[in-house]
């Protein structure tokens, strides 16, 4: 055993803090035949997220890449949360949709890095969330300090009021927090920033 | 039965088991509160935190199983090992107790977890760095919630304050493992795989002190007697009961392919 690290006064603090903001904003598609990839993307545009069916997997920003590798269609998908129980279902739905659209043997790859961020939600996706009654993420994903940090103002998706309050950091799924509107008194889900 | 062959267990595999097992066991503790949480919102929060931890455990254990190269997967490591082969921290296997015990345990772990994951995002091992980057986003939310509860209970009613302080005092003897390190932690640091354990300890203490002060709680001494051994497989009696419940089904029906 090495000695314990109990040296509270020792000023050792020199590893760089990581930045939680994803820097990968490269759009799709990236490689291969432009026409074909647009067609594939159009197919995926119709595949709904199983937990928030009003947005597609493309609008959610979890389809990270569409490419042809040695004649095989490869779609890279990133999970929203490590333990998201919908991950396998989403991959299966993407596979089924592509097969039904005439791509016989697509490979669906899971990609962890860069980690998914709500910054990748498309504008159309945000608008659909709001119309569905889920407040879209406010601002950009960033690390927030623990104490004394105010919650962002989350406008009520039903009446637009900014007089809302957070009920719980976690809502009906891992990606949402639970809020309540003090004007129309309705509870609603907030798609939290990640 | 899975016997972790010590001879094939490199420091990296041992380190991955520590990461994966701590996430797995704490996730299981959260899951045990399914249907028993004090309020619906807390039920959802506990289950979501548990799910995040299970996902992280799967990522770490999948990597560990690949490095072992014996054809096993994460499920095999989770469900076919006995208590002495688990490498989780002692604090995560402690019972749920009352809500102050549950949130105190979560907070003391989260405060360590966030700083550890933050350091691991800089790992020289790209696989570890990417799993850590993903996990850090989740752990940051976990810490935010658990520290809010510690502050709310500590700075709440006389009853909640008393219970939160009692939980803290009870759990404190298991926090030595969060600040002490052994040859495996040191080897991982020297290989550039894991962050400097001394910096990790310093940051954990800073976060704990900040929150406890806000919570009007008295921080126990860092120099009290600490229980250690979880990281090398010496566990408290609670882990065996937890594993018996968690592993019962896959061990009873080892050949089942559909659940
Ligand atoms: Zn409203």
């Amino acid at each position: 055993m090495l000695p314990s690290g109990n040296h509270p006064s020792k000023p050792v603090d020199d590893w760089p803090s990581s930045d939680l903001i994803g820097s990968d904003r490269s759009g799709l598609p990236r490689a291969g035949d432009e026409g074909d990839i647009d067609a594939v993307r159009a197919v995926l545009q119709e595949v709904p997220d199983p937990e928030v069916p009003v947005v597609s997997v493309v609008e959610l920003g979890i389809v990270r890449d569409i490419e042809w590798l040695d004649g095989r269609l490869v779609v890279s998908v990133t999970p929203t949360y490590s333990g998201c129980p919908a991950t396998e279902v989403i991959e299966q739905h993407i596979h089924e949709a592509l097969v039904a659209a005439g791509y016989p043997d697509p490979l669906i790859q899971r990609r962890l890095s860069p980690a998914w961020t709500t910054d990748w939600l498309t504008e159309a996706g945000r608008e659909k969330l709001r119309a569905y009654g889920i407040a879209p993420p406010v601002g950009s994903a960033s690390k927030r300090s623990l104490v004394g940090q105010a919650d962002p103002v989350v406008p009520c998706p039903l009446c637009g009021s900014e007089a809302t309050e957070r009920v719980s950091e976690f809502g009906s799924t891992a990606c949402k927090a639970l809020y309540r509107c003090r004007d129309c008194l309705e509870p609603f889900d907030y798609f939290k920033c990640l | 039965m899975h016997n972790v062959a010590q001879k094939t267990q490199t420091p990296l595999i041992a380190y991955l088991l520590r990461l994966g097992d701590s996430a797995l066991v704490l996730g299981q503790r959260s899951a045990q509160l399914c249907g028993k949480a004090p309020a619906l919102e807390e039920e959802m929060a506990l289950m979501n935190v548990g799910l995040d931890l299970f996902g992280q455990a799967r990522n770490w254990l999948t990597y560990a199983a690949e490095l072992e190269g014996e054809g096993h997967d994460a499920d095999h490591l989770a469900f076919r090992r006995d208590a002495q082969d688990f490498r989780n921290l002692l604090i995560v296997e402690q019972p749920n107790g009352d809500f102050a015990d549950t949130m105190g345990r979560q907070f003391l772990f989260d405060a360590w977890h966030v700083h550890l994951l933050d350091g691991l995002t800089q790992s020289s091992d790209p696989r570890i760095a990417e799993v850590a980057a993903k996990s850090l986003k989740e752990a940051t939310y976990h810490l935010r919630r658990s520290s809010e509860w510690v502050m709310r209970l500590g700075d709440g009613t006389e009853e909640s304050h008393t219970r939160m302080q009692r939980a803290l005092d009870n759990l404190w003897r298991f926090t030595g493992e969060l600040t002490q390190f052994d040859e495996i932690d040191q080897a991982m640091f020297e290989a550039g795989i894991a962050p400097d354990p001394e910096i990790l300890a310093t940051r954990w203490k800073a976060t704990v002190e900040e929150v406890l002060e806000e919570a009007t709680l008295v921080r126990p001494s860092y120099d009290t007697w600490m229980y250690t051994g979880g990281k090398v497989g010496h566990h408290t009696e609670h882990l065996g009961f937890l594993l018996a419940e968690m592993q019962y089904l896959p061990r009873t029906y080892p050949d089942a392919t559909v659940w």
Side-chain angles (χ1 to χ4, degrees), chain A residues 156 158-161 181-186:
Chain A
C156 172
L158 304 161
C159 74
S161 166
C181 176
R182 286 201 297 269
D183 279 333
C184 74
L185 303 180
E186 285 293 326

